[in-house]
Amino acid sequence: EVQLVESGGGLVQPGGSLRLSCEASGFTFSSYWMHWVRHAPGKGLVWVSRIDTDGSSTNYADSVKGRFTISRDNAKNTLYLQMNSLRAEDTAVYYCARNLGYNYGYPFDYWGQGALVTVSS
Amino acid sequence: DIQMTQSPSSLSASVGDRVTITCRASQSISSYLNWYHQKPGKAPKLLIYSASSLQSGVPSRFSGSGSGTDFTLTISSLQPEDFATYYCQQSYSIPSFGQGTKVEIK
């Protein structure tokens, strides 16, 4: 059974840092692109970042570029999102999601349960 | 970046109603269009991929159509468990989502 389990969320002050983790199981993690998607309170889903199978290629939404870093450890079957210089508008539930394939053109077929990040003083 | 626009933003419907949600892309995305629904406090769930392919395990009352820039999600007979927020998403390039359509009970 495919499972994605996020951890690392919490309350952080503006300007602070947090690292989210997403532990994968039930599939060959190293064969799939992975994404982070966030859902702010009362808002819609927003794509945040994407990483390819070996971590050599990444993309970011303009709103997080230069502040967030996506990475992966295929030996540990784990996806990461390092979030620096956090702002109030980064407050959201963050989901990791599996890209059905290893290229564009595929949907996000499995999602984690989400990790809540609250940025507030 | 490709912008996705859904309509309506919300709708009220009764159990058994036929419901249609539309999604428009700011440029052609071929058939690289996916639909999800999300219930409060839960992760999104994939319903339709590649514009018209039903994800495994999803009831056949859900269907999708369209190509290029204009797409439609149809629920043929709304069930109580279908009250949720629906999102379209393009996977043609850097992903983007529509703003969502909230389906509420009339």
Side-chain angles (χ1 to χ4, degrees):
Chain A
E1 179 193 5
V2 171
Q3 283 198 314
L4 298 170
V5 179
E6 296 101 337
S7 60
L11 174 64
V12 61
Q13 292 188 337
S17 298
L18 212 55
R19 188 177 84 156
L20 301 181
S21 299
C22 170
E23 186 170 353
S25 60
F27 66 102
T28 305
F29 179 68
S30 59
S31 295
Y32 293 84
W33 286 13
M34 297 293 295
H35 301 264
W36 289 99
V37 176
R38 69 185 182 186
H39 187 200
K43 304 288 188 179
L45 298 173
V46 174
W47 173 81
V48 172
S49 184
R50 165 243 133 199
I51 189 166
D52 69 354
T53 54
D54 64 2
S56 61
S57 175
T58 59
N59 295 97
Y60 299 91
D62 287 345
S63 59
V64 306
K65 202 172 292 183
R67 301 188 298 123
F68 289 13
T69 302
I70 189 172
S71 62
R72 66 193 297 162
D73 185 335
N74 286 341
K76 295 182 178 180
N77 291 336
T78 303
L79 174 73
Y80 302 101
L81 186 67
Q82 177 68 43
M83 303 183 292
N84 298 331
S85 303
L86 282 161
R87 307 166 180 167
E89 54 266 34
D90 296 317
T91 294
V93 175
Y94 285 74
Y95 296 98
C96 61
R98 188 180 83 164
N99 198 76
L100 181 55
Y102 48 87
N103 209 332
Y104 291 116
Y106 294 95
F108 304 166
D109 63 340
Y110 284 94
W111 298 65
Q113 85 286 356
L116 177 61
V117 172
T118 303
V119 184
S120 174
S121 54
Chain B
D1 294 1
I2 299 174
Q3 310 302 317
M4 306 301 294
T5 304
Q6 286 179 235
S7 61
S9 296
S10 64
L11 65 89
S12 295
S14 300
V15 172
D17 283 355
R18 182 182 181 88
V19 168
T20 298
I21 299 168
T22 63
C23 179
R24 175 165 287 177
S26 60
Q27 66 181 73
S28 177
I29 57 171
S30 185
S31 295
Y32 295 112
L33 190 283
N34 313 302
W35 290 97
Y36 305 83
H37 74 187
Q38 185 181 31
K39 299 179 183 180
K42 299 294 186 181
K45 177 184 176 182
L46 176 64
L47 302 172
I48 300 284
Y49 63 95
S50 300
S52 61
S53 296
L54 193 67
Q55 173 68 349
S56 176
V58 174
S60 59
R61 62 180 179 273
F62 291 93
S63 64
S65 64
S67 66
T69 60
D70 293 308
F71 302 87
T72 300
L73 173 71
T74 299
I75 310 171
S76 60
S77 177
L78 198 65
Q79 297 302 300
E81 59 268 32
D82 300 335
F83 292 96
T85 300
Y86 290 77
Y87 295 93
C88 62
Q89 176 243 333
Q90 64 81 15
S91 50
Y92 179 81
S93 62
I94 298 293
S96 53
F97 290 89
Q99 80 279 15
T101 296
K102 188 173 184 179
V103 176
E104 299 175 299
I105 301 172
K106 181 183 283 186

